[in-house]
Amino acid sequence: MAAPRKEDVRSLIVSTAEKLLEEKPFSEISLSQLASEAGISKGTLYYHFKNKNELLFAITDKYLDEQWTELCQWTDNADKDTSLHRLVRYVLGRDVAGVKLRLPLFYDAMIGNEEIRTHLIRRYQCFASLIAKKISERTDKVSGEYFSWLLLLLSDGLSMHQTIQNDHLDTEKFISQTAAYIEQFFPKK
């Protein structure tokens, strides 16, 4: 039997870490446990990821790259209504749904992990720029840059309330109401 390719082992490590993240916070996952769950040696794990930060970046970047691609495909699809209110609903819905992978980054950035803080800010800047571009294609009545940051901040707030299970806030209803207000105030170009 042939040895697994390097990309396959890296994917195995990332997918195993994602599964473990469903059970416990990233801070409670040891590299030894991860190697054991993946069926590889610690040396093999360290060959692909020299520390937990690199692994966390790989998991997060995988998710964010998929989210980026999906947003571009959705907004570029001429067969779909991708007007501003629908764009708002799309961005908020996707961001809130994917918060679990961002929470470990937020936590580590807040407690002083400079490498993670820098990585997180860089990714936010990239998404803010993409969303700003998509907003500006749909309206000139508001700054795309301002509105993109407003959406990202709103999605983070909604995500936090969903995470703490705030029963006084129906996240989906809030997103729908926000989209309806946007449609009312910013009619199609």
Side-chain angles (χ1 to χ4, degrees):
M1 178 152 95
R5 292 189 342 236
K6 186 165 63 169
E7 301 83 30
D8 294 340
V9 173
R10 186 173 174 87
S11 294
L12 171 66
I13 294 167
V14 170
S15 65
T16 302
E18 289 172 327
K19 287 176 190 160
L20 288 171
L21 274 171
E22 292 173 8
E23 301 167 12
K24 60 174 104 179
F26 192 72
S27 60
E28 293 179 16
I29 298 171
S30 72
L31 292 178
S32 295
Q33 177 189 20
L34 179 58
S36 175
E37 291 284 327
I40 59 172
S41 70
K42 259 181 100 172
T44 300
L45 178 64
Y46 279 110
Y47 174 79
H48 292 280
F49 300 99
K50 60 183 172 187
N51 58 46
K52 280 180 76 171
N53 283 356
E54 280 191 6
L55 178 58
L56 186 56
F57 295 156
I59 294 167
T60 306
D61 287 346
K62 175 185 167 199
Y63 164 76
L64 292 176
D65 290 345
E66 288 169 4
Q67 193 176 18
W68 179 285
T69 300
E70 289 170 3
L71 175 61
C72 289
Q73 289 172 343
W74 184 82
T75 56
D76 294 341
N77 186 339
D79 296 331
K80 291 189 184 250
D81 174 8
T82 62
S83 55
L84 186 60
H85 74 283
R86 299 220 359 137
L87 176 64
V88 166
R89 176 188 291 279
Y90 184 93
V91 169
L92 292 176
R94 296 290 169 122
D95 278 0
V96 170
V99 71
K100 189 170 185 172
L101 292 176
R102 289 193 319 270
L103 289 176
L105 289 172
F106 282 131
Y107 177 75
D108 280 8
M110 288 187 301
I111 63 169
N113 185 324
E114 185 61 24
E115 184 180 15
I116 287 181
R117 187 188 74 79
T118 302
H119 188 82
L120 184 61
I121 289 171
R122 185 172 37 82
R123 289 309 301 242
Y124 264 96
Q125 288 171 325
C126 290
F127 265 97
S129 294
L130 175 63
I131 295 167
K133 177 180 178 269
K134 300 299 181 178
I135 290 168
S136 295
E137 291 169 357
R138 287 155 179 78
T139 187
D140 56 5
K141 297 185 187 305
V142 66
S143 159
E145 182 180 353
Y146 166 81
F147 205 84
S148 68
W149 280 108
L150 183 65
L151 286 178
L152 291 172
L153 294 169
L154 182 58
S155 71
D156 287 343
L158 289 171
S159 297
M160 290 299 151
H161 282 274
Q162 183 174 295
T163 301
I164 64 170
Q165 300 172 354
N166 180 349
D167 293 333
H168 303 286
L169 176 66
D170 180 334
T171 304
E172 183 50 44
K173 183 178 176 184
F174 189 91
I175 291 171
S176 294
Q177 287 175 325
T178 302
Y181 286 133
I182 297 301
E183 184 177 24
Q184 183 179 8
F185 294 123
F186 298 96
K188 289 183 188 179
K189 243 183 172 178

